[in-house]
Amino acid sequence: MTSVSMTVNGKSVSGEVEGRTLLVDFLRNDLRMTGTHVGCDTSQCGACVVHVDGEAVKACTMFAVEADGAAVATIEGQANADGSLSVVQQAFQDHHGLQCGFCTPGMVMSAAALLKENPKPTEGEIREYLEGNICRCTGYHNIVKAIMAASGQDVAAIAAG
């Protein structure tokens, strides 16, 4: 067992993990932060996206020991301090960017990372950035609209479908 310590959503946490423990498993099983989903176990779907030191990372591709000392942000930490939804979360709600909700945490985390890198992405840039996130319900159209809205852009300009 190895000791790990990190900051998760602004709070210091620590635990004992096996070297093979994935970050997603540490978050879900040890810290009981179940908003980060495990969808495929092969890093294909993006349901497990978190931010590690400000970078979007698929938590199923990173060992917990690799995050030792890091700042980790999960979907649970995305709301505003008063508990209201973040701009990205609110846009997903307003523009129906979710259906079953399984991919939503990873989509929101990826969208937040994209908007940090590129505050005014084009529709094409959004679609390209989300290439590593799979949604089996929405067809991505409303997810793209939500991200455009979160960036302050006019969603009426998005082509249908």
Side-chain angles (χ1 to χ4, degrees), residues 74-80 83-98 104-105 107-109 111-112 115 146-147 150:
T74 70
I75 191 66
E76 289 92 344
Q78 294 304 294
N80 296 315
S84 63
L85 297 177
S86 71
V87 170
V88 174
Q89 291 171 312
Q90 189 64 56
F92 268 70
Q93 181 178 13
D94 292 346
H95 296 278
H96 312 287
L98 56 109
T104 304
M107 289 288 187
V108 168
M109 296 303 290
L115 295 176
I147 296 169

Side-chain angles (χ1 to χ4, degrees), residues 58 144 157:
K58 290 181 179 177
V144 173

